[in-house]
Amino acid sequence: MHRASEDHRSVAFPHLVLPLLRDTARLLGAEPDRVALFMASGTGGWEVALTNTLPPGAQVLLPCAGHFANLWGDSARRLGFAVETVPEMEWGDAPSPERIASILAADTHHRFAAILVVHNETSTGVTADLPAIRAAIDKAGHPALLMIDGVSSIGSLEYRHDDWRVDVAITGSQKGLMLPAGLAIVAFSERALAAANTVTGPRAYFDLRPMLAQNADGYFPYTPSIPMLYGLRESVGMLLDEGLDQVAQRHARLARGVRAAVAAWRLPICCRNAASTSNTVTTIMTPAGIDARKIVSHAFTKYDLSLGGGLGPLAGKAFRIGHMGWLNEGMLFGALGLTAMALTDCGVPASAADACAAAAAVWHGDAS
Amino acid sequence: MHRASEDHRSVAFPHLVLPLLRDTARLLGAEPDRVALFMASGTGGWEVALTNTLPPGAQVLLPCAGHFANLWGDSARRLGFAVETVPEMEWGDAPSPERIASILAADTHHRFAAILVVHNETSTGVTADLPAIRAAIDKAGHPALLMIDGVSSIGSLEYRHDDWRVDVAITGSQKGLMLPAGLAIVAFSERALAAANTVTGPRAYFDLRPMLAQNADGYFPYTPSIPMLYGLRESVGMLLDEGLDQVAQRHARLARGVRAAVAAWRLPICCRNAASTSNTVTTIMTPAGIDARKIVSHAFTKYDLSLGGGLGPLAGKAFRIGHMGWLNEGMLFGALGLTAMALTDCGVPASAADACAAAAAVWHGDAS
Amino acid sequence: MHRASEDHRSVAFPHLVLPLLRDTARLLGAEPDRVALFMASGTGGWEVALTNTLPPGAQVLLPCAGHFANLWGDSARRLGFAVETVPEMEWGDAPSPERIASILAADTHHRFAAILVVHNETSTGVTADLPAIRAAIDKAGHPALLMIDGVSSIGSLEYRHDDWRVDVAITGSQKGLMLPAGLAIVAFSERALAAANTVTGPRAYFDLRPMLAQNADGYFPYTPSIPMLYGLRESVGMLLDEGLDQVAQRHARLARGVRAAVAAWRLPICCRNAASTSNTVTTIMTPAGIDARKIVSHAFTKYDLSLGGGLGPLAGKAFRIGHMGWLNEGMLFGALGLTAMALTDCGVPASAADACAAAAAVWHGDAS
Amino acid sequence: MHRASEDHRSVAFPHLVLPLLRDTARLLGAEPDRVALFMASGTGGWEVALTNTLPPGAQVLLPCAGHFANLWGDSARRLGFAVETVPEMEWGDAPSPERIASILAADTHHRFAAILVVHNETSTGVTADLPAIRAAIDKAGHPALLMIDGVSSIGSLEYRHDDWRVDVAITGSQKGLMLPAGLAIVAFSERALAAANTVTGPRAYFDLRPMLAQNADGYFPYTPSIPMLYGLRESVGMLLDEGLDQVAQRHARLARGVRAAVAAWRLPICCRNAASTSNTVTTIMTPAGIDARKIVSHAFTKYDLSLGGGLGPLAGKAFRIGHMGWLNEGMLFGALGLTAMALTDCGVPASAADACAAAAAVWHGDAS
């Protein structure tokens, strides 16, 4: 009778939780006993990562050229950490492993306790090269923890937590996992976990210790959202069934088609280096004098199409096409065709035909 | 507690049923007391129409050039009626009002008790001109009842039951109304209703009399599907909210784009007269030597696209793109792009780009 | 894209249909190639049974002492069959195997083509003894087909189609299978099936031949309700998982508790013979001067409890407590407690406490 | 297309959010511009309350005699606050306004920055008298903020945020609001809000300032759970439609019946003062030698009934019957009957009949 509110303490509950943690860990390439689920948006995951592993006031290095890196930095500052950004990065740049290596090499006193990297910067459509960054840290022989935000990458792009020796990874339920927001998934390394047991800063809701202790038995320290757990089981299962390599390849193939279409419109993308283009989101710059907000709003109102708006300094100057989750070529033909129509309506002549031609050339080898 | 199984007899039930009948009648352009809902697929509606209005063994005239006209004729024959088809019609033809007029004019003994017209023949993508057929009957001064199958037209194309003086119209829940199959909606004229009270043939489940008697009070003579009634309320409400004229115009606009795309592929459509092309389905002929079934199966398996197969004599020779329900340009860009890719894979070179270009020219005035 | 409307013709569809037919047949104890699913309420199943196996105008014997037997008889008459009822039956009686045997023995010319038996008469709460009736027919050496209505028995009470040598059995989706109305499930014997291929009466929508022919390949001759097929898969699976014997025992145990509670109120039940009481519904007679309709309406409005009303001649004189489907003791404690309160409010003093005491004595061995 | 992930930034989103905040505020009796929705369980709400209004290290007074008061105290300590509990309280006691008044009167230096009160202590089934506590604070002339946990009261019991001059109130989505866990609803007084703009402690995810700033325009600073917002709209709407007074009276009436049933079993309840018994949960003490955990587990496994277990020191010594949300008498008859059966099975003889009799006497005036 009172099941909805009570059964997260029932004897049956671990039968849901324990396999779910195992599969979620498999999705991230981590061990299950180092993965925790918090009831929060991905933003809450940032706080889990920082407060559980860093001493109060610790200094962190942030390659920052995007809205979500900015926000993560803000969170860190508001939590009392000292944030130093990698200099001379511009929006559209990926974090440079070389520059990170040289900054860390110069940090002989190991002031940096962690380096925070947004794996896939949703605002600019840029993907960081995590293995190269890991190698840069190793090369510098620096003990900083590598923390990554995988909100718009994990479940869509290749991600190998343990193989890549990431120390803390965060993702949310609402992007690659195709659920509503509400779950922050956080994976740790053994080293990060050890830190969680020694750091002394204030933390309560996001305290990892009771969470891992209870998760180990299949429970939660406070009422979890049971529908979200069932949803996560479903979406993790779908991704594992498709195969993580296949999922990554599908996103790569679809994204190449989207970029070809954008190229056909002769609109620049925000990402400044072809090797760093994101396979989950493409950020497109609008010509001077055209308010990108109008395009987004027009597409939504007239064509029932949800484009992402430009974020932060890109507000009004760029819009975004998302291409993660259960997409196929058909849905993207539609998105590209409608985007072309919305662009043209807003004063940016763009051909639906050229876009579809370019995408079809990529997806199907059609002569373009 | 036993609500699910019992409440179709509750005092609250008419609050659901009576407004639903009113709105459904409005959708058809008929009076509510001449509209009935039967728990059956649209096929069951044919039987409702025939057995409630025609004396046993009555003769009916059937303009027949399509799979669903064939099936309606079969139903009529199996129910003991004598079916005479309009001669010299070929698949792809629309019913000719002139020929109907001349047949009826020659039928001086009024042997034909009814004429059965499929408003929109789903197998060929051909729409009949009902007002012209009504005028033809009137001109011949013939008393035959005009019965129409509106399964793939009502809720998508213009339909005016009382204005057009149709005697019996049938539709189902699964096409323009975007629900699962399971409801047959049947509208009558006063004349057809009068016949229902005098004809003597056997009928039980599909007997109109207890249905109308109970419907008038908001009940049903047997357990209705309550979720289907709620679903119908939702979809009829959406169509009335959009506006019936707007719905028809939207389907016309989208269909013109689909036909332009098919023309760009240089594939013939089944419909032989441009004035009769259907705005809810386009039937496309495949070149000799190409099995259309392979295209449909390949599109389903490889691209997750549901094309319709060729029906009856068109099996293997044609496939269909449906474009009714809650479609917009984006979904059709996708369907056209995927269809092009599936065609090409199956040996029918077809350009996704040309299709999208042609459709965009229609939908958006893009130079093509 | 067009999946909803089209995929019942897809290559994938038989993967849903064929196992579903197998499991449904197992639920009935019949062979899968003799089970068909029609899109209709259970009432439509009556028509399937009659028109597919009996020659036009055939005579049928109907033990008739209840609303649904009456309605089935009406259907048969409206379809042109001659219905003879077993004499001297009163509402509350079960069909008497002895009397059936003697009627059939007297029918030396084998005028009766079938005997129609409602397995569980929902209006009176009476269950027929089908094996005894089968034995009576055998004893009389009479070739009449045994047709049964299992709408409120199959899926709740013991039913063994082939073992009991029933010729046609009908059930619907909306009672023991806990789905909305909309599916008529019909099982045949080999003899009944043979008849279906020779009888000549009119039938179209309910014609068994195209249905079985298409079902054999996993398809339907007209658009089926796909959600209903998925629902049926779910509910048949649940019943088979629980075990058919366990399901029947659960209903027996729960029903004994309900009857004990009614006895505690000193209200008579409609069923006149203790051996025939139904385990899925209990029909309770109200004292003279008390309108049972008021009780039903009051329970619905004030206590949110759906009781069944008295049907036919029992209107105003009886009400019904249904106890089929996913019920447990808790839900019935609630129904009994609320019924007691509604009864008392309407002038029939009834103790919730006594009812719960009596039920608990049955269900739990509590001293009563 | 990307609606699910993007539309919380769309122009349409405020049409959902702004009326929802207004109605939620009305439910709490607060002004909408002082109510915020955080994506977290109710536990996260404790952190919102503390970190946004108290200077780092502040001292708080906690009347603590229950599991959730304990946990709130733990959260406060882990966040660096100094928690002083009201002395000599035992589990089962309600917070004493007199004692609070005297403690505050003695606190002439105003060391206590806040007093934390669990409005309805779920573990013990005890409700605090908030107006009396407010009066005690006023009488002492003490400036401490009054913070209350309304997780198991708001939406079920009377609560008047502004009238009672509560400074911070917290509730969650998963109890009285009948949704999954995942939303923390927090209401402030003007004074508490002013503090939120001056306190300096670390906070990021739970920072009230960006939340209120964005909420004012109908947005959120990070991705909200859109289904939860729709769910909240639905459940708040239902409560306002029923009427807050009616909701409170319904819970009072149902709870009196439950307590009468428990009294019939001669089992003591945890609450030590009749004036403080909770109308949303009843905590029942099991006799010495009986492990209450076994009762809970047996009820769940055998009778599909979710009882709450004893929490903290009550583990094994008590169990709980919850009675909040969309309950009616029928569901509670069921819960009481099944609880009696589970108790008896576990060695605590308890009569289902006596329980139902006692409840019916309360709910319906039946002679007991």
Side-chain angles (χ1 to χ4, degrees):
Chain A
M1 182 183 87
H2 314 108
R3 287 222 154 178
S5 60
E6 288 294 346
D7 69 0
H8 71 100
R9 295 197 185 95
S10 86
V11 291
F13 201 60
H15 296 296
L16 167 63
V17 173
L18 294 174
L20 175 59
L21 285 170
R22 266 198 300 276
D23 284 346
T24 304
R26 213 178 122 207
L27 179 77
L28 277 81
E31 288 298 312
D33 58 355
R34 291 188 267 107
V35 171
L37 304 178
F38 285 85
M39 301 295 127
S41 83
T43 301
W46 292 338
E47 190 157 335
V48 172
L50 298 167
T51 59
N52 279 290
T53 60
L54 302 180
Q59 189 154 3
V60 299
L61 178 65
L62 176 70
C64 183
H67 186 64
F68 291 96
N70 267 351
L71 290 176
W72 196 2
D74 283 353
S75 275
R77 276 182 212 99
R78 283 195 269 161
L79 292 167
F81 300 102
V83 178
E84 191 166 316
T85 56
V86 172
E88 286 171 45
M89 276 186 79
E90 291 187 37
W91 281 45
D93 284 341
S96 156
E98 295 71 28
R99 202 166 310 164
I100 290 168
S102 74
I103 292 170
L104 293 181
D107 178 32
T108 51
H109 291 87
H110 294 172
R111 290 173 309 119
F112 290 119
I115 168 164
L116 318 185
V117 179
V118 174
H119 185 195
N120 185 75
E121 175 58 61
T122 306
S123 60
T124 56
V126 171
T127 303
D129 183 345
L130 293 183
I133 291 172
R134 174 76 266 172
I137 301 171
D138 290 350
K139 190 180 148 200
H142 196 287
L145 296 170
L146 173 59
M147 300 192 186
I148 71 105
D149 172 318
V151 169
S152 63
S153 63
I154 291 172
S156 302
L157 309 184
E158 186 184 25
Y159 180 72
R160 303 178 178 278
H161 188 77
D162 285 353
D163 288 355
W164 293 352
R165 287 184 296 118
V166 173
D167 290 298
V168 191
I170 298 139
T171 192
S173 44
Q174 81 275 19
K175 298 239 180 228
L177 295 167
M178 298 150 292
L179 297 172
L183 275 179
I185 301 165
V186 194
F188 293 82
S189 66
E190 289 188 5
R191 198 158 67 98
L193 219 54
N197 289 312
T198 58
V199 298
T200 59
R203 53 197 152 129
Y205 188 75
F206 290 129
D207 192 340
L208 183 64
R209 293 162 298 176
M211 185 59 80
L212 281 183
Q214 297 248 5
N215 278 184
D217 295 330
Y219 292 97
F220 284 83
Y222 39 74
T223 320
S225 168
I226 294 169
M228 287 295 287
L229 297 180
Y230 279 105
L232 184 64
R233 185 172 73 171
E234 194 66 23
S235 65
V236 168
M238 287 169 80
L239 290 167
L240 293 177
D241 282 353
E242 183 177 353
L244 297 179
D245 287 352
Q246 284 69 31
V247 168
Q249 286 161 18
R250 175 166 55 84
H251 281 90
R253 184 179 74 245
L254 293 173
R256 279 197 306 274
V258 171
R259 290 191 293 265
V262 174
W265 295 330
R266 302 181 186 281
L267 291 175
I269 63 172
C270 181
C271 181
R272 292 152 59 104
N273 184 327
S276 305
T277 49
S278 165
N279 285 337
T280 58
V281 63
T282 298
T283 302
I284 300 159
M285 309 304 296
T286 44
I290 300 292
D291 187 343
R293 281 171 292 221
K294 230 186 72 188
I295 297 165
V296 173
S297 151
H298 181 76
F300 188 83
T301 309
K302 173 133 191 218
Y303 298 112
D304 211 23
L305 173 73
S306 271
L307 298 170
L311 295 167
L314 296 182
K317 299 183 181 159
F319 67 92
R320 293 171 293 125
I321 298 179
H323 32 89
M324 79 185 80
W326 295 116
L327 283 183
N328 61 17
E329 288 84 348
M331 290 149 93
L332 284 173
F333 273 130
L336 295 172
L338 295 180
T339 300
M341 283 158 48
L343 281 167
T344 303
D345 292 349
C346 294
V348 184
S351 159
D354 290 353
C356 293
V362 170
W363 294 333
H364 199 247
D366 291 4
S368 166
Chain B
M1 183 184 86
H2 314 108
R3 286 220 156 180
S5 59
E6 289 294 346
D7 70 0
H8 72 99
R9 294 198 185 95
S10 86
V11 291
F13 202 60
H15 296 295
L16 167 62
V17 173
L18 293 174
L20 175 59
L21 284 170
R22 266 198 299 276
D23 284 347
T24 304
R26 213 179 121 207
L27 178 77
L28 277 81
E31 287 299 312
D33 59 355
R34 290 187 268 108
V35 171
L37 303 178
F38 286 85
M39 301 295 128
S41 82
T43 302
W46 291 337
E47 190 157 334
V48 172
L50 297 167
T51 59
N52 279 290
T53 60
L54 301 180
Q59 188 153 5
V60 299
L61 179 65
L62 176 70
C64 183
H67 186 65
F68 291 96
N70 267 351
L71 290 177
W72 197 2
D74 283 352
S75 275
R77 276 182 212 100
R78 284 195 269 162
L79 292 167
F81 300 103
V83 179
E84 190 165 318
T85 56
V86 172
E88 286 172 45
M89 275 185 80
E90 292 187 35
W91 281 45
D93 285 341
S96 156
E98 295 72 27
R99 202 167 309 162
I100 290 168
S102 76
I103 293 170
L104 293 180
D107 178 34
T108 49
H109 291 89
H110 294 170
R111 289 173 310 119
F112 291 118
I115 168 165
L116 317 185
V117 179
V118 174
H119 185 196
N120 186 76
E121 175 59 60
T122 305
S123 59
T124 56
V126 170
T127 304
D129 184 346
L130 293 182
I133 292 171
R134 174 77 264 171
I137 302 170
D138 291 350
K139 189 180 148 199
H142 196 287
L145 296 170
L146 173 58
M147 299 192 186
I148 71 104
D149 172 318
V151 169
S152 63
S153 63
I154 291 171
S156 303
L157 309 184
E158 185 184 26
Y159 181 72
R160 303 179 177 278
H161 188 78
D162 285 353
D163 288 355
W164 292 352
R165 286 183 297 117
V166 174
D167 290 297
V168 190
I170 299 139
T171 192
S173 44
Q174 81 273 21
K175 299 240 179 224
L177 294 167
M178 297 149 292
L179 297 172
L183 275 179
I185 302 165
V186 194
F188 293 81
S189 66
E190 289 188 5
R191 199 157 68 99
L193 219 54
N197 289 313
T198 58
V199 296
T200 59
R203 53 197 152 130
Y205 188 75
F206 290 130
D207 192 340
L208 183 64
R209 293 163 297 178
M211 184 61 79
L212 282 182
Q214 297 248 7
N215 279 184
D217 295 330
Y219 293 97
F220 284 82
Y222 40 73
T223 320
S225 168
I226 294 169
M228 287 295 287
L229 298 179
Y230 279 105
L232 184 64
R233 184 171 73 172
E234 194 66 23
S235 64
V236 168
M238 287 167 80
L239 290 167
L240 294 177
D241 282 352
E242 183 177 353
L244 298 179
D245 288 352
Q246 284 68 31
V247 168
Q249 286 162 18
R250 175 166 55 85
H251 282 90
R253 185 180 73 245
L254 293 173
R256 279 197 306 274
V258 171
R259 290 191 293 265
V262 174
W265 295 330
R266 300 181 188 281
L267 290 175
I269 63 172
C270 181
C271 181
R272 292 152 59 102
N273 184 327
S276 305
T277 49
S278 166
N279 286 336
T280 58
V281 63
T282 297
T283 301
I284 300 159
M285 308 304 297
T286 45
I290 301 291
D291 187 342
R293 282 171 291 221
K294 231 185 69 187
I295 297 165
V296 172
S297 153
H298 181 76
F300 187 82
T301 308
K302 173 131 191 221
Y303 298 113
D304 210 24
L305 174 74
S306 270
L307 298 171
L311 295 166
L314 295 182
K317 299 185 182 158
F319 68 92
R320 293 171 293 125
I321 298 178
H323 32 89
M324 79 186 80
W326 296 116
L327 285 182
N328 62 17
E329 288 84 350
M331 291 150 92
L332 284 174
F333 273 130
L336 294 172
L338 295 180
T339 300
M341 283 158 49
L343 281 167
T344 303
D345 292 349
C346 294
V348 185
S351 158
D354 290 354
C356 293
V362 169
W363 293 333
H364 199 247
D366 291 5
S368 168
Chain C
M1 181 184 88
H2 315 108
R3 287 222 154 178
S5 59
E6 288 293 347
D7 70 359
H8 72 100
R9 294 198 185 95
S10 86
V11 291
F13 202 60
H15 297 295
L16 167 63
V17 173
L18 293 174
L20 175 60
L21 285 169
R22 267 198 299 277
D23 284 347
T24 305
R26 211 178 123 209
L27 179 77
L28 276 81
E31 288 298 311
D33 58 355
R34 291 187 267 105
V35 171
L37 304 178
F38 286 85
M39 302 295 128
S41 83
T43 301
W46 292 338
E47 191 157 334
V48 172
L50 298 167
T51 59
N52 279 288
T53 60
L54 302 180
Q59 189 153 6
V60 299
L61 178 65
L62 176 70
C64 183
H67 186 65
F68 291 96
N70 268 349
L71 290 177
W72 196 2
D74 283 352
S75 275
R77 276 181 212 100
R78 284 194 269 162
L79 293 167
F81 300 102
V83 178
E84 191 166 315
T85 56
V86 172
E88 285 171 47
M89 275 186 79
E90 291 187 37
W91 280 45
D93 284 341
S96 157
E98 295 71 28
R99 203 167 308 163
I100 290 168
S102 75
I103 293 171
L104 292 181
D107 179 33
T108 50
H109 291 88
H110 295 171
R111 290 174 308 118
F112 291 120
I115 167 164
L116 318 185
V117 180
V118 174
H119 184 196
N120 185 76
E121 175 58 60
T122 305
S123 60
T124 58
V126 170
T127 303
D129 184 345
L130 293 182
I133 291 171
R134 173 77 266 172
I137 301 171
D138 291 350
K139 191 181 147 198
H142 196 287
L145 295 169
L146 173 58
M147 299 192 186
I148 72 104
D149 172 318
V151 168
S152 64
S153 63
I154 291 172
S156 303
L157 309 183
E158 185 184 26
Y159 181 71
R160 303 179 178 278
H161 189 77
D162 285 352
D163 288 354
W164 292 352
R165 286 184 295 119
V166 174
D167 290 298
V168 191
I170 298 139
T171 192
S173 44
Q174 81 274 21
K175 298 240 180 227
L177 295 167
M178 298 149 293
L179 297 172
L183 275 180
I185 301 165
V186 194
F188 293 81
S189 65
E190 289 187 6
R191 199 158 66 99
L193 219 53
N197 289 312
T198 58
V199 296
T200 59
R203 54 198 151 128
Y205 188 75
F206 290 129
D207 193 340
L208 183 64
R209 293 163 297 178
M211 185 60 79
L212 281 183
Q214 298 248 5
N215 278 184
D217 295 329
Y219 292 97
F220 284 83
Y222 40 74
T223 319
S225 168
I226 294 170
M228 288 295 286
L229 298 180
Y230 279 104
L232 184 64
R233 184 171 73 170
E234 193 67 22
S235 65
V236 168
M238 287 168 81
L239 291 167
L240 294 177
D241 282 352
E242 183 177 353
L244 298 179
D245 287 352
Q246 284 69 29
V247 168
Q249 286 162 18
R250 175 166 56 85
H251 282 91
R253 184 179 74 245
L254 293 173
R256 280 197 306 275
V258 172
R259 291 191 292 265
V262 174
W265 295 329
R266 301 180 187 283
L267 290 176
I269 62 173
C270 181
C271 180
R272 291 153 60 103
N273 184 328
S276 305
T277 48
S278 165
N279 286 337
T280 58
V281 63
T282 298
T283 301
I284 300 159
M285 309 304 297
T286 45
I290 301 292
D291 187 342
R293 282 170 291 221
K294 230 186 69 188
I295 297 165
V296 173
S297 151
H298 180 76
F300 187 83
T301 308
K302 173 134 190 217
Y303 299 113
D304 209 23
L305 173 74
S306 271
L307 298 170
L311 295 166
L314 296 182
K317 298 184 181 159
F319 67 92
R320 293 171 292 126
I321 298 178
H323 32 87
M324 78 185 81
W326 296 117
L327 283 182
N328 61 16
E329 288 85 348
M331 290 150 94
L332 284 173
F333 272 130
L336 294 172
L338 296 180
T339 300
M341 283 158 48
L343 281 166
T344 303
D345 292 349
C346 294
V348 185
S351 159
D354 290 352
C356 293
V362 170
W363 294 331
H364 199 247
D366 291 6
S368 166
Chain D
M1 181 184 88
H2 316 109
R3 287 221 154 180
S5 58
E6 288 294 347
D7 70 358
H8 71 99
R9 294 198 185 94
S10 86
V11 292
F13 202 60
H15 296 295
L16 167 62
V17 173
L18 294 174
L20 174 59
L21 284 170
R22 266 198 299 277
D23 283 348
T24 304
R26 211 178 123 208
L27 179 76
L28 276 82
E31 288 299 311
D33 59 356
R34 290 188 268 106
V35 171
L37 303 178
F38 286 84
M39 302 294 129
S41 82
T43 301
W46 290 338
E47 191 157 333
V48 171
L50 298 168
T51 59
N52 279 289
T53 60
L54 301 180
Q59 188 153 5
V60 298
L61 178 65
L62 176 71
C64 182
H67 186 64
F68 291 96
N70 268 350
L71 290 177
W72 197 3
D74 284 352
S75 275
R77 276 182 212 100
R78 283 196 268 161
L79 292 168
F81 300 103
V83 179
E84 191 166 316
T85 56
V86 172
E88 286 172 45
M89 275 185 80
E90 291 187 35
W91 281 43
D93 284 341
S96 156
E98 295 72 27
R99 204 167 308 164
I100 289 167
S102 75
I103 292 170
L104 292 181
D107 178 33
T108 50
H109 292 89
H110 294 171
R111 291 175 308 120
F112 290 119
I115 168 165
L116 318 185
V117 180
V118 175
H119 185 196
N120 185 76
E121 176 57 61
T122 306
S123 60
T124 57
V126 170
T127 303
D129 184 345
L130 293 182
I133 291 171
R134 173 77 266 172
I137 301 169
D138 291 350
K139 190 180 147 200
H142 197 287
L145 295 169
L146 174 59
M147 299 192 186
I148 72 105
D149 171 319
V151 169
S152 64
S153 63
I154 291 170
S156 303
L157 310 183
E158 185 184 26
Y159 181 72
R160 303 180 178 277
H161 189 78
D162 286 353
D163 288 355
W164 292 352
R165 286 184 296 118
V166 174
D167 290 297
V168 191
I170 298 138
T171 193
S173 45
Q174 82 273 22
K175 298 239 180 230
L177 295 167
M178 300 150 290
L179 297 172
L183 275 180
I185 302 165
V186 194
F188 292 81
S189 66
E190 289 189 5
R191 199 157 66 98
L193 220 53
N197 288 313
T198 59
V199 296
T200 58
R203 54 199 150 128
Y205 187 74
F206 290 129
D207 192 341
L208 183 63
R209 294 163 296 178
M211 185 60 79
L212 282 182
Q214 297 248 5
N215 279 183
D217 295 330
Y219 292 97
F220 284 83
Y222 41 72
T223 320
S225 168
I226 295 170
M228 288 294 288
L229 298 180
Y230 279 105
L232 184 64
R233 184 171 74 170
E234 193 66 23
S235 65
V236 168
M238 287 169 80
L239 290 167
L240 294 177
D241 282 352
E242 183 177 353
L244 297 178
D245 287 352
Q246 284 69 31
V247 168
Q249 286 162 19
R250 175 165 56 85
H251 281 91
R253 184 180 74 244
L254 293 173
R256 278 196 307 273
V258 171
R259 290 191 293 265
V262 173
W265 296 329
R266 301 182 188 281
L267 290 176
I269 62 172
C270 181
C271 181
R272 292 152 60 103
N273 185 327
S276 305
T277 49
S278 165
N279 286 336
T280 58
V281 63
T282 298
T283 301
I284 301 158
M285 308 304 297
T286 46
I290 300 292
D291 188 342
R293 282 171 291 221
K294 229 186 70 188
I295 297 164
V296 173
S297 153
H298 180 76
F300 187 83
T301 309
K302 172 131 191 221
Y303 298 112
D304 210 23
L305 173 74
S306 270
L307 298 170
L311 294 166
L314 296 182
K317 298 183 180 159
F319 66 91
R320 294 171 293 125
I321 298 179
H323 33 87
M324 78 185 82
W326 296 116
L327 284 182
N328 62 16
E329 288 85 350
M331 290 151 93
L332 284 173
F333 273 129
L336 294 171
L338 295 180
T339 300
M341 283 159 48
L343 281 167
T344 304
D345 292 349
C346 294
V348 185
S351 158
D354 290 353
C356 292
V362 171
W363 294 333
H364 198 247
D366 291 4
S368 165

